[in-house]
Amino acid sequence: MSRKIGIALFICAAAIALRCWRIDAPFTDSWSWRQSDVAAIARNYLENGFHFARPQIDWAGSQPGFVGTEFPILPFTAAILYQFTGVREWVGRLQTVVIFAFSLPFFFAIVRRAFGETAAMCALLFYCFAPLSVAAGRAFMPDMPSLGLALVGLDFFWRGLDDSNSGDGRRYLVLASIMTGLALLIKLPTATIAAPMAALAWRKFGGSVFWQPSLWFFGVIALAPSLLWYGHAYRIAAQFYPYHFFGGGGVRIMNFAWYCHIAAQTCTSTLTPVLFVLAIAGIVIAQKHPNATPFLWWLGAMVFFIAIVGYGNRHQWYRLPLVPIAAVFGGAAISFIAKNWNPRAVIVSVVILFLVSSIFPILQFFRPTAQGLWRLGLALRSQTPPSALIIAADNGDPTALYYAHRKGWHFLERHGLYYGNPNDGMQIVANLKELRWRGATHLVFYNGTMWWLDYYPDFAENLARTSVLEEATADYRIYRLIQ
């Protein structure tokens, strides 16, 4: 074993250990609402029967709450494991950690094949400890598992093309199609992985790329399952209240300021300024290297995706594929610099700067921003009957409903979805009246929405006449509605 391989193994072990820190913590950290939705789907599988094709959320009131989602293999697997472990946060998080760990040797192999062992070692470090990678790599969400499988698929695809005339090459392409297909099922935006694959295929076959039976076979196996599943998910969303398709509405070009914010976020909490600068340097240094082309195509595909799916990219995790792209070019830059200066001094200095710049963004991702919703949920679970229907002024975050183990609605609600902050008190009263008619039994606020009670006095007056305040703390208020 070379020294660099040993260092790579140490990097992998440290990255996995970091992601296992407080792995049993409640879903109150960054992206609590997305994780609580996935966790609710898992628990509903466990309690309502393992009907794989009909995932259910908790914020559809008395309705079943079937929604259109990505291929729900993660919550379904968690539900199976819940039968042995009970409903535990670490079960969902651990799936993400395992798939992330599984992808690391494949990512290392990709970069080593492209730019050598030094670049691969550095790229692995960047990929493992970039802030967005750490946050997504321990979240009960489909993004990191999808990216991890896509990287495995890319490695197999590259190997398959290199050995295309042998039996091993055909087997690699079959494995690549399976891994890529599963990645697309779990998270469709990971389809940008097609860009580096297309670059590799074009380099191999040139103009005859469209006449290669092996590539057509790969495309059918990779794409057909996603076409079938997402067609089914769309029909589910159109048929059942709350008529929601996860990720729907994201394809929208936004204004210039919106993209400036995305660029600033990418430079800081996604990659860190150190990795961002190294990635730019790597692009300049390696742009004429033949093995840089697949990653340049992937970067171009990501830029196009961010531009077209501008509104969807309000969620930072949509830009997760930028991490391995930046890591590759950052590793290439370090490899080039190390050849011309003292390699040990260069690598050690950059590593220290990068890790120090990662600490604060990582801590921000770990910060329990939904603590009030979590406490509200626990209070509701102990103080309300299981049949209670909760109207939750929760800013669209289902964490309180999940930990309450209750069904209900986001407030304000329109056509089954969270409608945002009210325009005036009369709008709140009208929405409350409608939900009471649908069977709501309780109305709750957390510390992020209790300002409504002061800002809309006409609503507060109406609430005082039609409800009983059961509990009030600094974190929440629980009202029982008088029927």
Side-chain angles (χ1 to χ4, degrees):
M1 182 188 299
S2 72
R3 184 180 179 186
K4 291 176 182 176
I5 295 295
I7 294 173
L9 290 174
F10 175 78
I11 292 171
C12 293
I16 294 167
L18 176 60
R19 285 158 176 78
C20 288
W21 180 67
R22 296 195 65 211
I23 197 170
D24 59 344
F27 298 123
T28 58
D29 49 6
S30 295
W31 317 329
S32 59
W33 67 271
R34 187 65 171 92
Q35 296 182 83
S36 293
D37 263 341
V38 178
I41 290 170
R43 187 172 62 195
N44 285 324
Y45 275 137
L46 176 69
E47 296 177 347
N48 302 331
F50 289 82
H51 305 296
F52 184 86
R54 291 194 171 187
Q56 296 172 268
I57 44 80
D58 286 341
W59 37 271
S62 59
Q63 300 297 311
F66 298 126
V67 290
T69 72
E70 306 93 349
F71 193 66
I73 188 65
L74 296 176
F76 191 81
T77 302
I80 294 173
L81 296 174
Y82 287 166
Q83 296 179 99
F84 307 99
T85 65
V87 178
R88 300 285 186 270
E89 286 86 348
W90 64 264
V91 173
R93 294 187 193 274
L94 188 61
Q95 292 182 86
T96 300
V97 175
V98 167
I99 298 178
F100 164 78
F102 173 67
S103 72
L104 294 181
F106 295 92
F107 177 70
F108 182 85
I110 290 169
V111 187
R112 182 171 61 178
R113 184 183 301 113
F115 296 111
E117 205 165 72
T118 299
M121 182 184 67
C122 295
L124 183 67
L125 177 83
F126 297 144
Y127 177 56
C128 285
F129 294 100
L132 185 62
S133 174
V134 175
R138 66 187 302 275
F140 190 15
M141 293 168 52
D143 300 81
M144 180 56 80
S146 177
L147 177 61
L149 292 172
L151 290 171
V152 177
L154 177 59
D155 181 50
F156 282 140
F157 187 82
W158 202 329
R159 295 189 199 187
L161 291 184
D162 285 347
D163 299 324
S164 58
N165 296 322
S166 69
D168 285 343
R170 287 187 287 272
R171 282 191 290 272
Y172 282 136
L173 286 177
V174 170
L175 290 171
S177 65
I178 294 171
M179 292 297 165
T180 306
L182 189 54
L184 298 182
L185 280 168
I186 293 175
K187 192 75 176 184
L188 189 58
T190 309
T192 56
I193 196 67
M197 291 178 172
L200 290 168
W202 185 265
R203 185 176 69 181
K204 177 72 175 181
F205 300 110
S208 65
V209 68
F210 300 105
W211 310 108
Q212 301 299 317
S214 60
L215 296 182
W216 280 101
F217 174 81
F218 169 84
V220 170
I221 298 300
L223 294 176
S226 290
L227 292 174
L228 293 173
W229 173 259
Y230 286 105
H232 162 77
Y234 179 81
R235 290 190 295 272
I236 289 291
Q239 184 177 356
F240 295 99
Y241 179 89
Y243 313 111
H244 183 59
F245 187 88
F246 277 48
V251 181
R252 191 190 313 173
I253 297 176
M254 307 300 288
N255 58 41
F256 180 72
W258 183 276
Y259 295 107
C260 286
H261 171 71
I262 288 176
Q265 198 176 55
T266 300
C267 179
T268 54
S269 61
T270 295
L271 302 176
T272 74
V274 174
L275 179 53
F276 184 82
V277 170
L278 283 172
I280 297 298
I283 292 170
V284 174
I285 292 169
Q287 62 178 329
K288 294 184 179 180
H289 193 292
N291 286 333
T293 304
F295 306 104
L296 290 171
W297 282 35
W298 195 4
L299 177 60
M302 280 301 301
V303 171
F304 179 77
F305 169 74
I306 293 169
I308 298 300
V309 189
Y311 186 66
N313 272 276
R314 69 192 185 279
H315 303 313
Q316 193 172 0
W317 58 80
Y318 270 55
R319 303 189 292 279
L320 183 61
L322 288 176
V323 176
I325 297 170
V328 169
F329 285 115
I334 295 298
S335 179
F336 175 84
I337 294 170
K339 290 177 182 177
N340 296 278
W341 286 279
N342 186 320
R344 180 175 297 179
V346 168
I347 293 174
V348 171
S349 300
V350 170
V351 165
I352 292 173
L353 284 172
F354 169 70
L355 292 178
V356 169
S357 67
S358 296
I359 292 173
F360 180 73
I362 290 173
L363 291 176
Q364 287 297 103
F365 278 121
F366 281 11
R367 191 163 57 90
T369 55
Q371 200 85 10
L373 287 167
W374 172 63
R375 293 194 179 107
L376 169 60
L378 296 181
L380 286 170
R381 188 163 188 168
S382 65
Q383 297 178 26
T384 62
S387 59
L389 290 176
I390 312 297
I391 304 172
D394 56 10
N395 285 325
D397 187 333
T399 300
L401 291 175
Y402 174 71
Y403 282 102
H405 203 167
R406 301 290 183 266
K407 305 299 183 183
W409 302 267
H410 298 306
F411 194 49
L412 298 174
E413 180 267 0
R414 184 181 183 189
H415 304 312
L417 303 178
Y418 171 61
Y419 191 55
N421 289 325
N423 297 321
D424 53 49
M426 294 306 296
Q427 184 184 21
I428 311 177
V429 171
N431 203 210
L432 176 60
K433 182 179 179 180
E434 179 184 350
L435 295 177
R436 284 168 62 95
W437 180 80
R438 295 194 215 170
T441 60
H442 293 77
L443 172 63
V444 299
F445 298 86
Y446 83 113
N447 50 21
T449 55
M450 286 195 293
W451 61 270
W452 289 19
L453 300 169
D454 298 322
Y455 196 79
Y456 305 103
D458 48 346
F459 162 66
E461 181 182 346
N462 177 276
L463 186 62
R465 294 196 310 268
T466 59
S467 67
V468 175
L469 178 61
E470 292 202 329
E471 185 172 1
T473 72
D475 288 312
Y476 58 81
R477 290 191 183 183
I478 300 174
Y479 292 86
R480 178 172 52 83
L481 301 176
I482 301 173
Q483 300 300 321

